[in-house]
Structure formats: structure tokens, C-alpha cells
Amino acid sequence: MIFIEILWLDQSDVKSVLDMPLALFAVESGFREHGLKKVQMPPKSYLYFKEHNGDLRTMPSFMEGKDIAGVKIVNVHPDNREKGLPTVMAVVVLNSTETGAPLAVMDGSYLTDMRTGAAGGVAAKYLARPDSKVVGMVGLGDQAHTQLLALSEVMDIEEVKITCRKSGRCIAFEKKMHPVVNCDITSKDSIKEVCDCDILVTTTPVRSPIIDSEWVQEGTHINAIGADASGKQELGPSLLKKSKVVVDDIVQASHSGEVNVPISTGVFYEADIYAELGEVVAGIKPGRESDEEVTIFDSTGLAIQDLVTADMVYEKSLEKGIGEKLGLF
């Protein structure tokens, strides 16, 4: 009888091998393959649990050049915080492309935070002004931490401006992140004040715009992270119209990214999207072309980001003998 063995990696295992430099390297390579059209990646599918204010998403992908495949299953339940649970929980399954057999099952929650932060770092590398020094952050949840961590790896940050409806969260964010990024972190009373920056990061779950076009100065780069499902929107439509908009995936962003509401209401069009980030990373299209233009990265989160990061975690875990091997049948 054939014995199938799976490597089980819990969150502590994943954390022991995955740092931000590795995540940045993995995600950038994933975007490059996406830009070269060397991946199979259907748009993520959703199950909506309206009674519980949550959803479940499945995200399969196959990277042809690396010959790796897998799927992430992830939830988003904003009310979990009140229950003492993470708002986002996930598992990633890696599969053999030769037999289809599962190779590994690993925690995807930490991995999701890291790869999404890394996507923001990659976007800033190609779209922000190289002399960017000041970061503004609207929203201070878990994703804000990894966004800032990634930016600190690709930029020399001198100041971070933060704002949040709960002042206690600003204090906690500063306490946690100051030793990591080693720069001034200042709390502001309004979103408008935070928008006076070089790189603006939005990580909120809102469904109506909170960033006014008039608040954003020339030369700003924006990582719009919060809109990752239909109906979500953080930026005003006029801001999109005056900016160079780069998405992670056109099909997915059109249905669930920052551009989804403006497209559905006819104030912004798919043709107005400048490029996918992978096209910029692969050199197919240029990124920032002047110090004056406003650039926006619309991040919805791609299955290939999970796949390529999980594959690196898997390989490093095998090298170091980390994880528990479990028999399937």
C-alpha cells in the first residue's frame, strides 16, 4: 500500500522560517511570473456568511515555471476581535503537480499578513519616489504592522504618521513598531493630516471613501490594501481618476479591489487601469515615470503570493527538519 505523508506546519513553525526579506523575495518573484503570464490563477471565490458578518475564500494557483501548486482557504470575520479570535485565519495546502497528492498543510494567517505586507513593499519599490521618507498610515490593525515592516526594508523611513479612531491602538502601534523601524512615529488627529506624506497606506474595511483627492499631494504613492471584497472602498473616485492605478490582478481587482465600486457605478473603467504590478516588475511596463505623478497600488491579495511564499516556507522547513509529518492514508 502506498503511504502518503504530509508535513504539518503550525504558526510557530512558519514564523521560525519566514521573515520579511524572504517574503519580499518570494512575492516579487511571484508577481514577475504573473506579469509574464506563467501562472494559472482563477479569481478567488467567496462564500458569504451574512448572519455572522464574515466570509470564506478559496484561492488556488499553479506556477508553471516553478512547477508548484496549492490552495489557500481563508476567512475574514471582523467581529472575531470581540471574541478573542483573529479576524483573518487561513491554511495553505501545497500539492504535488505530478500526483496531486498533498505535500504540506500550514498555517496561513501569519503567512497572509507577511505576503500582503510584502506586496506593499514590492509596489513601493517600483512605484514610490526613491527619496520617499514619510509614511502615512490609516488603519492600525495587524496588516498595518507588516505593511510598515515591508516598507522599512525597501525605503529609508524617517517618520511615520498614524491615525485611528481608538487612541489606545495608536499608542500600542507606536510601542510595538518603533523598535522595529527605528524612526519617529507620530499620532495625528485626522486622516487629512496623515495624508501629508510620501507613501500613504490604507488598511481599513470601510465601504465608503475616507481619503479625499484634495488631501493627496503630487508625488504620493498609495498602497490601498483594505478593499479586498465587493463593495469595499477607501479612496475617492476623483483620486483614482487623477492617478496612475496599478492593480495586482485586473479581473480580481475589478470585482473585489479598490476599483470595484467605481467600476460598478461607471465613474471609473477597467481601461483606466494602467497595469498589473507583475507587468511592472517584469519590465513590460514602466512604473513611476515622474516625481509629480500620484501612483496607487490596488491590492486584493493573489493566490500566487500565498503559493510562492508557502513553497519557500516548505523548502526551508524540510532543510531545517521543522514541522510534524502526518500520514494521510
Side-chain angles (χ1 to χ4, degrees):
M1 180 177 178
I2 298 175
F3 183 69
I4 300 295
E5 196 172 60
I6 302 172
L7 183 64
W8 168 256
L9 299 168
D10 63 22
Q11 188 169 103
S12 63
D13 294 328
V14 176
K15 285 184 175 180
S16 71
V17 296
L18 179 59
D19 58 15
M20 186 53 73
L22 179 66
L24 283 163
F25 177 81
V27 169
E28 185 170 2
S29 69
F31 276 124
R32 184 176 294 108
E33 293 299 295
H34 183 253
L36 295 172
K37 310 301 181 187
K38 294 182 178 181
V39 305
Q40 292 181 34
M41 188 186 66
K44 68 177 75 171
S45 60
Y46 291 78
L47 297 174
Y48 296 100
F49 311 134
K50 294 183 179 180
E51 290 185 9
H52 306 290
N53 188 29
D55 63 63
L56 188 70
R57 312 168 189 194
T58 56
M59 303 171 64
S61 62
F62 168 46
M63 297 187 70
E64 299 168 4
K66 296 181 180 293
D67 197 30
I68 56 176
V71 61
K72 183 173 80 171
I73 305 170
V74 57
N75 78 293
V76 178
H77 281 64
D79 297 340
N80 273 1
R81 193 181 301 275
E82 299 171 5
K83 303 173 184 178
L85 294 172
T87 58
V88 176
M89 292 179 280
V91 293
V92 179
V93 181
L94 293 179
N95 295 83
S96 165
T97 57
E98 181 181 359
T99 67
L103 301 172
V105 178
M106 69 184 71
D107 165 67
S109 302
Y110 176 75
L111 187 149
T112 296
D113 280 344
M114 292 292 282
R115 65 80 152 148
T116 309
V122 173
K125 175 180 175 181
Y126 287 90
L127 298 173
R129 299 193 327 272
D131 62 348
S132 296
K133 303 290 184 184
V134 181
V135 175
M137 308 200 74
V138 181
L140 299 177
D142 292 340
Q143 188 45 233
H145 295 80
T146 53
Q147 287 292 322
L148 182 55
L149 181 60
L151 289 176
S152 71
E153 292 286 340
V154 299
M155 298 286 175
D156 293 323
I157 302 172
E158 295 180 354
E159 182 184 5
V160 181
K161 300 177 181 181
I162 61 176
T163 189
C164 186
R165 290 178 297 178
K166 299 179 180 179
S167 59
R169 193 169 288 181
C170 287
I171 295 171
F173 185 88
E174 193 277 335
K175 184 177 181 180
K176 180 177 180 179
M177 295 305 298
H178 183 268
V180 178
V181 297
N182 193 29
C183 67
D184 293 333
I185 299 179
T186 57
S187 179
K188 301 297 181 182
D189 294 330
S190 69
I191 294 176
K192 181 179 180 180
E193 291 177 272
V194 169
C195 289
D196 182 17
C197 62
D198 301 314
I199 300 174
L200 179 64
V201 181
T202 59
T203 58
T204 71
V206 298
R207 291 180 173 271
S208 59
I210 56 173
I211 307 297
D212 193 298
S213 176
E214 295 180 358
W215 301 344
V216 177
Q217 60 191 4
E218 286 188 350
T220 301
H221 170 66
I222 302 172
N223 279 339
I225 310 299
D228 61 353
S230 178
K232 290 186 176 182
Q233 183 183 19
E234 296 182 293
L235 312 181
S238 60
L239 177 55
L240 293 175
K241 294 292 289 185
K242 79 172 189 179
S243 305
K244 173 182 282 186
V245 178
V246 176
V247 301
D248 50 13
D249 181 83
I250 288 179
V251 174
Q252 190 165 285
S254 298
H255 292 90
S256 59
E258 182 60 44
V259 299
N260 87 91
V261 174
I263 287 177
S264 68
T265 56
V267 297
F268 190 81
Y269 300 93
E270 189 175 301
D272 294 326
I273 297 171
Y274 170 71
E276 293 178 329
L277 182 57
E279 295 176 300
V280 177
V281 174
I284 296 170
K285 292 184 178 181
R288 173 173 288 274
E289 296 178 273
S290 76
D291 287 343
E292 292 73 37
E293 66 182 348
V294 176
T295 54
I296 294 173
F297 171 53
D298 180 0
S299 172
T300 59
L302 303 185
I304 55 161
Q305 295 171 234
D306 301 302
L307 177 63
V308 71
T309 307
D311 182 66
M312 287 196 173
V313 168
Y314 175 62
E315 294 296 337
K316 287 194 171 292
S317 296
L318 289 178
E319 291 173 10
K320 297 183 178 182
I322 293 171
E324 182 179 359
K325 294 181 179 179
L326 304 174
L328 182 61
F329 56 82

